[in-house]
Amino acid sequence: MAKLTKAQREWRPGMPKKRRSTKVMFASTVLLLEAFVMFFATLAVFGLRRGEFPPAVILGVGIALCVVMIVACAFLTKPWGIGLGWILQLVLILTGIFEPAMFLVGTLFAAAWWYGIRTGIRLDREAGERAREQAAWEAAHPDGAGPGQQPQSP
């Protein structure tokens, strides 16, 4: 049998589900898409510039960047995770040194990253406000009757 996680061991019936951060979901999506783009950019540089750079270096650096972008998704919940994401945005833009089209692609992904972080923060704040309002309403109406509803009978 598989080992249970801490959250699974501590779960009890009736416990509310912990909300996932929209900011983290948006940021993870952008980083994963960048990893795919980085992989294909690595293949393009490998095909176009194999004579200028050793193939092992091209493939090694490109695949390492892909892996770092994927692993960075796990750290987005940490305080420094978003900073790591910004560093990866800069690295993606700087890959334009080897393939000029990556200047444009990296800039577009940096804009998507900025928009995702900004919008995610706003949506997380609004969801928190809704959760607080819901909790206040539930505290004021312990019988569970909503507007226009009859109280629940036992």
Side-chain angles (χ1 to χ4, degrees):
M1 184 170 168
K3 184 177 177 184
L4 297 176
T5 65
K6 180 181 176 189
Q8 290 171 327
R9 288 190 307 271
E10 294 175 355
W11 181 83
R12 300 289 176 260
M15 285 180 66
K17 185 177 179 182
K18 185 179 175 187
R19 270 195 49 79
R20 290 185 57 192
S21 170
T22 306
K23 175 183 79 168
V24 171
M25 286 190 287
F26 285 173
S28 293
T29 301
V30 172
L31 283 175
L32 287 175
L33 289 172
E34 286 176 349
F36 280 113
V37 168
M38 190 67 234
F39 176 73
F40 290 116
T42 299
L43 294 178
V45 171
F46 177 76
L48 296 173
R49 309 224 177 185
R50 196 174 9 205
E52 298 174 37
F53 304 102
V57 171
I58 295 171
L59 293 175
V61 170
I63 292 173
L65 283 173
C66 292
V67 170
V68 168
M69 288 176 178
I70 292 169
V71 170
C73 293
F75 299 112
L76 290 174
T77 57
K78 307 281 187 214
W80 48 270
I82 300 300
L84 175 62
W86 279 112
I87 291 169
L88 291 173
Q89 301 311 307
L90 182 62
V91 169
L92 188 66
I93 292 170
L94 291 177
T95 59
I97 294 169
F98 304 104
E99 176 55 43
M102 292 303 290
F103 284 125
L104 175 64
V105 172
T107 302
L108 292 174
F109 268 113
W113 174 263
W114 170 80
Y115 181 77
I117 297 298
R118 185 175 146 258
T119 303
I121 289 171
R122 180 179 53 84
L123 292 175
D124 286 342
R125 184 178 53 243
E126 290 172 3
E129 289 172 10
R130 279 193 306 277
R132 282 189 294 279
E133 290 172 3
Q134 181 68 30
W137 188 89
E138 288 174 357
H141 301 87
D143 57 2
Q149 293 180 345
Q150 298 296 324
Q152 296 176 347
S153 58

